[in-house]
Amino acid sequence: AMTATAVGEDGRTRTVSTEFVTAAAEKTLGITYEAPNHKETVGVGMPIVMRFEEPVTDKVAVERALEVRSSKPVEGAWHWFDDQSLVFRTKKYWPRHTDVTFRAHLAGVAGAKDTYGGKNQSIRFRVGDEHISKASEDKHQMYVYNNGRLVRKVPVSMGRGGVRKYTTTNGVHLTMEKGNPVTMDSGWEGIGPGSPGYYSLTVYHAVRISASGEFVHAAPWSVGSQGSDNVSHGCVNASPSHAKWFYNFSYRGDPYVITGSDRELEPDNGWGYWQMKWKDWVKGSAMKRSMRIGPNGAVATTQHHAPGAVAGS
């Protein structure tokens, strides 16, 4: 309650009491766009990856506020991995040389209680050439294709196995980031300096393909095994010259397919999103549907009605 004292025109003092309720302070829903970057040239597997700082309770409202336009027609869908991770993926790889615009119209959208989307965002990116790599754990070779043409065959060595953590993951990976150099250590396993099994290694021309420590990188020490034996801790080892070439060749979001391993890449390990069957991917959308996307925006491909509901009602 607020009490105000005022002097009236007649010179008398009056005290007025007013009851009022303050509106709860609105919070802004913090959002990180993990990928792609604005104006980035990306690979044909590139997802759109959003992370929310608060759990989203109204997922439909958030999804409805997101717009994807593509210069070439594609089918795509959003998928929630949890209340704070939202990813867009196409059904098939993007066609090469496609221009894409992503707009998040989230200003004023109530994503959670008393929490609203911040300012609207717009990201434009271009899908470049179609880079697809196929690496065989059995044949110890990596085959790199550019727009459907084999451009390089690279002898490699992968995880030596024996235990899960030293087994290279199988399936469709995406190239996630590059580092030159990258220092790799056993901290991700919870093994710190001074503990048995600790290692720290600096590697060059490293291209990340998962969140569980897997890179394609230069490994001068295993050149003798590349093409014949698997001796690594799980990474894909290549010679310094091949690794440098691959590092310079790669965009983020290039598909990197590994065959022959008995450890399957999890869909939420890095950008393992292509490991999920399409119908399961679409089920992870709050709207339970995919969209046909083109230069003029999106059209829903399937409308789901509640049991007993009449279409158009």
Side-chain angles (χ1 to χ4, degrees), residues 107-152:
V109 174
K113 185 171 165 49
D114 301 325
T115 305
Y116 295 84
K119 63 180 193 293
N120 292 333
Q121 293 269 5
S122 180
I123 295 170
R124 288 196 318 279
F125 59 98
R126 179 171 175 77
V127 180
D129 290 326
E130 182 192 68
H131 297 166
I132 296 177
S133 297
K134 297 178 180 178
S136 165
E137 200 193 44
D138 303 333
K139 294 179 181 167
H140 314 289
Q141 298 289 336
M142 165 170 113
Y143 305 88
V144 185
Y145 296 85
N146 185 33
N147 299 328
R149 189 171 64 87
L150 180 65
V151 288
R152 190 167 283 220

Side-chain angles (χ1 to χ4, degrees), residues 16-305:
V16 182
S17 234
T18 315
E19 289 288 337
F20 67 96
V21 179
T22 54
E26 292 177 5
K27 283 195 298 186
T28 300
L29 191 58
I31 303 165
T32 304
Y33 295 92
E34 184 176 304
N37 297 327
H38 185 52
K39 296 188 175 174
E40 183 177 4
T41 298
V42 303
V44 295
M46 177 56 94
I48 299 170
V49 185
M50 302 174 66
R51 309 284 185 203
F52 298 89
E53 287 175 15
E54 304 273 338
V56 173
T57 49
D58 192 343
K59 296 185 175 69
V60 169
V62 167
E63 235 174 89
R64 278 204 175 119
L66 304 176
E67 176 193 0
V68 181
R69 293 184 182 225
S70 162
S71 64
K72 296 179 183 179
V74 294
E75 185 178 346
W78 292 96
H79 184 97
W80 294 86
F81 279 88
D82 54 41
D83 292 343
Q84 291 172 251
S85 301
L86 178 60
V87 179
F88 176 87
R89 198 200 98 188
T90 44
K91 182 178 183 179
K92 297 179 177 154
Y93 296 147
W94 295 101
R96 62 180 183 254
H97 309 149
T98 300
D99 292 303
V100 186
T101 303
F102 164 62
R103 293 190 181 96
H105 304 281
L106 287 168
V109 174
K113 185 171 165 49
D114 301 325
T115 305
Y116 295 84
K119 63 180 193 293
N120 292 333
Q121 293 269 5
S122 180
I123 295 170
R124 288 196 318 279
F125 59 98
R126 179 171 175 77
V127 180
D129 290 326
E130 182 192 68
H131 297 166
I132 296 177
S133 297
K134 297 178 180 178
S136 165
E137 200 193 44
D138 303 333
K139 294 179 181 167
H140 314 289
Q141 298 289 336
M142 165 170 113
Y143 305 88
V144 185
Y145 296 85
N146 185 33
N147 299 328
R149 189 171 64 87
L150 180 65
V151 288
R152 190 167 283 220
K153 181 180 170 188
V154 177
V156 294
S157 178
M158 295 195 210
R160 64 175 184 245
V163 291
R164 181 179 164 83
K165 67 183 178 182
Y166 296 150
T167 305
T168 304
T169 54
N170 200 69
V172 183
H173 304 66
L174 293 177
T175 53
M176 297 175 64
E177 63 176 348
K178 302 183 197 182
N180 184 39
V182 168
T183 298
M184 302 158 74
D185 63 36
S186 51
W188 65 277
E189 301 175 50
I191 301 172
S195 303
Y198 173 76
Y199 64 84
S200 177
L201 186 64
T202 298
V203 299
Y204 293 88
H205 295 112
V207 180
R208 179 186 285 280
I209 58 169
S210 78
S212 56
E214 292 169 312
F215 292 80
V216 181
H217 67 78
W221 58 88
S222 71
V223 166
S225 301
Q226 291 162 19
S228 58
D229 284 306
N230 290 323
V231 297
S232 85
H233 279 157
C235 287
V236 180
N237 288 183
S239 74
S241 62
H242 282 313
K244 182 178 182 182
W245 174 85
F246 184 71
Y247 181 95
N248 291 329
F249 173 80
S250 297
Y251 308 127
R252 293 200 307 160
D254 289 340
Y256 192 95
V257 185
I258 292 175
T259 55
S261 160
D262 60 3
R263 178 187 172 187
E264 206 64 19
L265 176 70
E266 307 85 352
D268 61 349
N269 180 349
W271 297 346
Y273 308 129
W274 292 93
Q275 287 289 87
M276 194 178 287
K277 290 192 175 76
W278 181 244
K279 69 176 197 304
D280 294 329
W281 184 269
V282 175
K283 277 183 197 158
S285 151
M287 316 241 262
K288 304 283 188 260
R289 67 189 188 197
S290 64
M291 297 167 293
R292 278 196 204 89
I293 289 161
N296 301 317
V299 179
T301 53
T302 49
Q303 293 282 0
H304 290 273
H305 298 284

